[in-house]
Amino acid sequence: PMQHGRAASLQDPTPYLQLPAFYQAKRDLFRQGLEGSRLKLLPSTGSYFQCVDISAVSDLNESDFCQWLTREVGVAAIPLSAFYGDGFDQRVVRFCFAKKDETLRAALERLRKLGRHCQGNLMPFSALALSRQAPPATLFIANSQQAG
């Protein structure tokens, strides 16, 4: 069955050939949405992940920051330290932008509101209040019922 499916996909390469532009548009939407935020965008090519430096947002290590971000803001990120055997922490996390545009926009709204982490506590900001008032139905949201 898989060989038949692959053979059929070769009949019309259009969907495959459109993938780079499809993901570039999502990357561009995500990057533009974070411009001017406290998250420092790193170069992103040939991927559906956007890495950001979190130094201006938090003093937490990558793993703790990602856990906090998921729980309190409702946006999940992946710590790069998870990919190192020794847990090397560069203060960089990555977001997956292979999501629906409305999901990306909702997450961007929350991410743009991030404040500065200060002595173990995060300064209040409206995204925290938003995450507690609204059900988690946006980008990379923990416990989301919607596929994003």
Side-chain angles (χ1 to χ4, degrees):
M2 188 167 91
Q3 290 142 336
H4 293 286
R6 180 67 182 131
S9 73
L10 294 174
Q11 299 294 322
D12 180 12
T14 304
Y16 172 79
L17 295 175
Q18 292 174 342
L19 282 177
F22 175 80
Y23 283 113
Q24 182 173 339
K26 291 190 175 296
R27 182 202 63 199
D28 293 349
L29 170 67
F30 196 72
R31 288 182 64 86
Q32 288 169 1
L34 286 180
E35 285 179 5
S37 77
R38 298 183 63 100
L39 297 168
K40 180 183 174 191
L41 294 163
L42 301 176
S44 173
T45 58
S47 172
Y48 45 82
F49 291 100
Q50 174 62 59
C51 292
V52 299
D53 183 321
I54 61 170
S55 299
V57 174
S58 177
D59 294 328
L60 295 171
N61 66 42
E62 294 170 5
S63 181
D64 289 344
F65 176 79
C66 289
Q67 290 177 38
W68 172 84
L69 190 67
T70 302
R71 260 193 313 271
E72 299 298 329
V73 181
V75 179
I78 303 159
L80 285 192
S81 58
F83 299 100
Y84 291 89
D86 62 358
F88 178 59
D89 194 310
Q90 303 174 74
R91 317 261 310 120
V92 174
V93 303
R94 70 184 197 166
F95 296 100
C96 178
F97 54 78
K99 303 289 179 177
K100 296 176 186 174
D101 288 354
E102 62 266 23
T103 301
L104 292 173
R105 286 187 190 96
L108 288 166
E109 181 181 333
R110 293 177 182 202
L111 292 171
R112 282 191 299 263
K113 295 176 183 176
L114 287 177
R116 171 78 179 141
H117 179 269
C118 183
Q119 298 179 3
N121 296 311
L122 284 163
M123 296 175 68
F125 61 95
S126 57
L128 179 57
L130 173 65
S131 71
R132 290 189 175 144
Q133 292 172 359
T138 59
L139 179 74
F140 332 113
I141 300 297
N143 302 322
S144 177
Q145 295 294 323
Q146 298 180 357

